[in-house]
C-alpha cells in the first residue's frame, strides 16, 4: 500500500463505462443533469469541508464543488458528456487554492467536453424547453442545487417525462467493478493498520477521545483525511448506544471497548467493527456473549451467495441469535413465554458497502456476484451492561462470498493474543 492513499484513483475508463451503462438504461433520447453540490455554511463565512454528491462522482469522477454533469443523447447525436466547472479566478484561488483546470478535469473523468459553469443555463435552455425530451434528475435530494433544478423543471407550464436517477443508479452502483473492489481491499488494509496502531493504548484509564484521536491520526497521516464515517469508540455501557459519537467516556478495568471504524481510499469505504477487553482477556460472561456474536456472523457468512436477499440473511442470523441467547440462559425458563430475540438483537446484519458506507441499494434485489456487503451481527444485553457487534466486509462471488477483511483478528483468542503482543512489543 502506498504511504499516501491520495495517490489511489479510479481510472477515467471506470467513469466513462458508468456513463455508458447509464445511457443503456435510458430512452433513445434524453438529457441527464447531475450536480456535485455546494459547500454547506457552518457559521459566518466558514463552510463545512466539501464532499461531492456520490452519484455525481460515480458518473463524473470529479470532486470539485459547484460542478455539473450533463449527459445528452438525441436522434442526431450519440450520448455526449459535458462537465461544467468554475472558471479560474486568481483572487479567489489565493484564498481557497487552485481550481480544476479543464485539461485536468478531462483527463481524470474522460468527459467529452469541459465547459465554463456560467454557460450552463444557456446550454440547457433548448433542452429544458423541449418538453418531448425526457429529463433525468436526482429526485431524492432534500436540498442544494440539484433540488432547486428539480423544482425548476417540474414547475414548467407543460408536463414532460422526468426520470428518477435513483433506482437506475442504485442498481448500477450495487455491483462493483474490479477497480472498486481493489479500492475497498485497500481501504480495509488501511483500516487494519490504524486499528493495530492504537491497540497498545488500550488499558484501564484510557479515554475514548485518546483512542478516537489515535485512529483518526493514523488514517490522516496516510492521506485519508475523510474517513468512511465518523469514528465510533465506545467503552463499557456506552456501546449500548449504537452510534456513540461523543467520545467522552473512559475505560475501566473489566470493560469492553467497541470500535466501529473505516477508512476511505479512492472514494470507496471500509467498515470494520471489533471488540477489545480492556484487561487483555475476556471474562466468562464476555466470552459467552462474544462467542454468540461470532456464531451469528458465521451463520450469515455461510448463507451469503447469489440469489439470496438481505432479508433472508437477516432471518438466518436472527434465528442463530435466538439459539445463542437461549444457550447462554438469557431467555426465561418458562416454556410458555415467548423467546423474543428482538430484546437483544437490535439491528439488521448487513448493508451494501461502496462509495457510501451505507451504500445505495434496492433492498429486495437478490444478491449477485460483485456486490459488497458488511456482515455485522450484534447482541446487546442491558441487564449485563454490555453489548457489541463484530463486523467484516464481504464480496459476493459465484459460489458464495469472500471475506475481504479476513486478515484482521476476529476470534476471541486472536484478539487477546494481538493485544498481548502489542503490549509486549509496543506494536
Amino acid at each position: 500500500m502506498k504511504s499516501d492513499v491520495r495517490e489511489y484513483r479510479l481510472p477515467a475508463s471506470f467513469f466513462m463505462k458508468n456513463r455508458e451503462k447509464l445511457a443503456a438504461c435510458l430512452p433513445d433520447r434524453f438529457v441527464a443533469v447531475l450536480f456535485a453540490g455546494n459547500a454547506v455554511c457552518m457559521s459566518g463565512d466558514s463552510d463545512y469541508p466539501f464532499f461531492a454528491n456520490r452519484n455525481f462522482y460515480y458518473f463524473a469522477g470529479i470532486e470539485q464543488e459547484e460542478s455539473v454533469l450533463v449527459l445528452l443523447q438525441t436522434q442526431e447525436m450519440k450520448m455526449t458528456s459535458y462537465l461544467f466547472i468554475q472558471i479560474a479566478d486568481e483572487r479567489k484561488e489565493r484564498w481557497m487554492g487552485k481550481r480544476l483546470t479543464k485539461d485536468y478535469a478531462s483527463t481524470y473523468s474522460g468527459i467529452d467536453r469541459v465547459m465554463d459553469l456560467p454557460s450552463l443555463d444557456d446550454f440547457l435552455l433548448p433542452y429544458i424547453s423541449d418538453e418531448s425530451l425526457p429529463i433525468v434528475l436526482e429526485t431524492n435530494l432534500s436540498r442544494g442545487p440539484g433540488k432547486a433544478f428539480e423544482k425548476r423543471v417540474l414547475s414548467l407550464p407543460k408536463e414532460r417525462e422526468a426520470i428518477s436517477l435513483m433506482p437506475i443508479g442504485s442498481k448500477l452502483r450495487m455491483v462493483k467493478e474490479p477497480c472498486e473492489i481493489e479500492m475497498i481491499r485497500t481501504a480495509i488494509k488501511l483500516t487494519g493498520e490504524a486499528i493495530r496502531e492504537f491497540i497498545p493504548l488500550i488499558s484501564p484509564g484510557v479515554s475514548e477521545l485518546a483512542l478516537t484521536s489515535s485512529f483518526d491520526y493514523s488514517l490522516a497521516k496516510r492521506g485519508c483525511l475523510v474517513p468512511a464515517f465518523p469514528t465510533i469508540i465506545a467503552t463499557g455501557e456506552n456501546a449500548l448506544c449504537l452510534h456513540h459519537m461523543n467520545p467522552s467516556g473512559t475505560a475501566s478495568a473489566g470493560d469492553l471497548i467497541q470500535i466501529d471504524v473505516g477508512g476511505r481510499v479512492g472514494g470507496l469505504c471500509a467498515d470494520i467493527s471489533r471488540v477489545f477487553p480492556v484487561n487483555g482477556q475476556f471474562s466468562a460472561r464476555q466470552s459467552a456473549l462474544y462467542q454468540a456474536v461470532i456464531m451469528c456472523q458465521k451463520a450469515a457468512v455461510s448463507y451469503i451467495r447469489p440469489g439470496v436477499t438481505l432479508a433472508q440473511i437477516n432471518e438466518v442470523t436472527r434465528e442463530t441469535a435466538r439459539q445463542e441467547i437461549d444457550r447462554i440462559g438469557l431467555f426465561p425458563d418458562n416454556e410458555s413465554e415467548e423467546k423474543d430475540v428482538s430484546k437483544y438483537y437490535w439491528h439488521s446484519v448487513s448493508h451494501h458497502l461502496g462509495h457510501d458506507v451505507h451504500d445505495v441499494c434496492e433492498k429486495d434485489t437478490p444478491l449477485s456476484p460483485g456486490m459488497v456487503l458488511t456482515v455485522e451481527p450484534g447482541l446487546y444485553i442491558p441487564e449485563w451492561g454490555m453489548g457489541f457487534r463484530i463486523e467484516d466486509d464481504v464480496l459476493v462471488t459465484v459460489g458464495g462470498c469472500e471475506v475481504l477483511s479476513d486478515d484482521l483478528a476476529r476470534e476471541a483468542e486472536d484478539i487477546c493474543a494481538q493485544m498481548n503482543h502489542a503490549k509486549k512489543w509496543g506494536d
Side-chain angles (χ1 to χ4, degrees):
M1 188 171 68
K2 298 175 183 177
S3 59
D4 188 338
V5 299
R6 289 174 294 183
E7 296 179 29
Y8 291 92
R9 285 191 60 92
L10 293 166
S13 58
F14 168 75
F15 304 107
M16 295 168 68
K17 184 176 181 180
N18 291 344
R19 295 191 289 270
E20 291 170 359
K21 289 191 290 186
L22 175 60
C25 298
L26 296 172
D28 293 339
R29 300 171 63 249
F30 68 87
V31 58
V33 187
L34 286 79
F35 294 79
N38 299 338
V40 177
C41 178
M42 180 168 59
S43 180
D45 60 356
S46 296
D47 294 335
Y48 288 103
F50 176 71
F51 191 68
N53 174 294
R54 291 296 91 185
N55 279 330
F56 172 87
Y57 177 72
Y58 184 77
F59 294 109
I62 296 297
E63 294 276 9
Q64 182 169 274
E65 63 181 296
E66 298 182 17
S67 303
V68 182
L69 173 67
V70 177
L71 305 179
L72 179 63
Q73 182 168 289
T74 65
Q75 290 177 337
E76 299 78 22
M77 179 178 66
K78 67 177 183 179
M79 196 268 288
T80 305
S81 55
Y82 302 84
L83 180 69
F84 294 81
I85 60 174
Q86 299 161 320
I87 298 174
D89 185 320
E90 182 178 349
R91 183 180 65 83
K92 289 184 178 179
E93 289 178 7
R94 289 174 188 167
W95 292 93
M96 305 304 294
K98 292 292 185 182
R99 293 174 173 175
L100 290 178
T101 65
K102 291 181 179 179
D103 286 343
Y104 180 96
S106 178
T107 297
Y108 286 102
S109 66
I111 295 285
D112 296 317
R113 293 187 60 188
V114 183
M115 304 172 70
D116 294 329
L117 185 62
S119 66
L120 175 64
D121 283 348
D122 287 341
F123 177 87
L124 285 178
L125 183 59
Y127 306 112
I128 294 177
S129 301
D130 181 0
E131 61 268 18
S132 70
L133 184 67
I135 187 163
V136 183
L137 305 164
E138 282 196 87
T139 57
N140 61 309
L141 301 175
S142 59
R143 61 181 67 86
K147 186 64 176 180
F149 183 75
E150 177 193 356
K151 289 181 178 179
R152 173 185 167 192
V153 169
L154 298 182
S155 67
L156 293 173
K158 292 186 178 180
E159 290 187 6
R160 53 113 46 80
E161 183 181 0
I163 300 172
S164 174
L165 175 73
M166 201 58 195
I168 303 171
S170 295
K171 288 179 180 178
L172 295 178
R173 285 175 55 179
M174 284 169 69
V175 178
K176 305 306 187 279
E177 293 289 334
C179 60
E180 292 177 284
I181 295 167
E182 189 58 35
M183 293 298 175
I184 293 173
R185 291 183 190 274
T186 307
I188 291 169
K189 185 176 180 181
L190 170 70
T191 304
E193 290 183 0
I195 291 172
R196 284 187 282 270
E197 286 189 358
F198 78 50
I199 288 177
L201 300 176
I202 297 176
S203 61
V206 71
S207 68
E208 293 170 349
L209 180 60
L211 296 176
T212 300
S213 300
S214 172
F215 180 82
D216 289 349
Y217 171 65
S218 293
L219 293 187
K221 72 181 181 181
R222 291 172 170 84
C224 179
L225 303 179
V226 182
F229 54 95
T231 297
I232 298 171
I233 308 284
T235 62
E237 292 192 18
N238 285 343
L240 296 174
C241 173
L242 300 180
H243 287 172
H244 175 69
M245 294 182 184
N246 177 23
S248 57
T250 300
S252 299
D255 277 351
L256 296 177
I257 295 180
Q258 167 84 79
I259 71 166
D260 190 342
V261 295
R264 184 188 297 270
V265 173
L268 280 300
C269 301
D271 190 2
I272 305 294
S273 296
R274 290 292 186 268
V275 182
F276 297 95
V278 171
N279 293 343
Q281 294 293 329
F282 292 98
S283 69
R285 179 173 280 185
Q286 290 168 349
S287 292
L289 186 58
Y290 196 97
Q291 185 61 24
V293 176
I294 283 288
M295 293 303 292
C296 289
Q297 190 186 57
K298 288 180 177 179
V301 169
S302 66
Y303 188 76
I304 293 173
R305 58 188 180 275
V308 306
T309 65
L310 295 182
Q312 290 172 325
I313 299 167
N314 194 56
E315 280 306 306
V316 167
T317 310
R318 184 183 178 90
E319 174 57 23
T320 304
R322 189 194 63 77
Q323 296 172 10
E324 291 297 313
I325 289 294
D326 198 20
R327 178 183 60 80
I328 59 180
L330 281 166
F331 287 134
D333 292 333
N334 189 341
E335 290 293 334
S336 64
E337 293 188 42
E338 183 182 357
K339 297 178 178 181
D340 182 12
V341 71
S342 62
K343 181 179 178 181
Y344 306 111
Y345 184 84
W346 293 355
H347 55 77
S348 296
V349 69
S350 286
H351 60 77
H352 283 257
L353 181 71
H355 292 268
D356 286 307
V357 66
H358 288 180
D359 212 24
V360 293
C361 71
E362 297 289 321
K363 290 187 177 181
D364 296 332
T365 299
L367 300 184
S368 61
M371 293 182 178
V372 178
L373 312 174
T374 66
V375 183
E376 53 173 322
L379 294 174
Y380 306 88
I381 319 297
E383 56 263 45
W384 287 5
M386 75 170 77
F388 50 82
R389 59 196 168 276
I390 300 169
E391 180 176 21
D392 284 277
D393 304 333
V394 306
L395 168 67
V396 181
T397 61
V398 173
C401 73
E402 174 192 354
V403 181
L404 300 175
S405 48
D406 214 23
D407 287 343
L408 303 182
R410 181 188 311 106
E411 297 288 346
E413 58 269 26
D414 295 331
I415 291 287
C416 294
Q418 184 182 48
M419 293 184 68
N420 293 331
H421 182 273
K423 295 289 185 184
K424 183 176 180 180
W425 300 102
D427 183 11

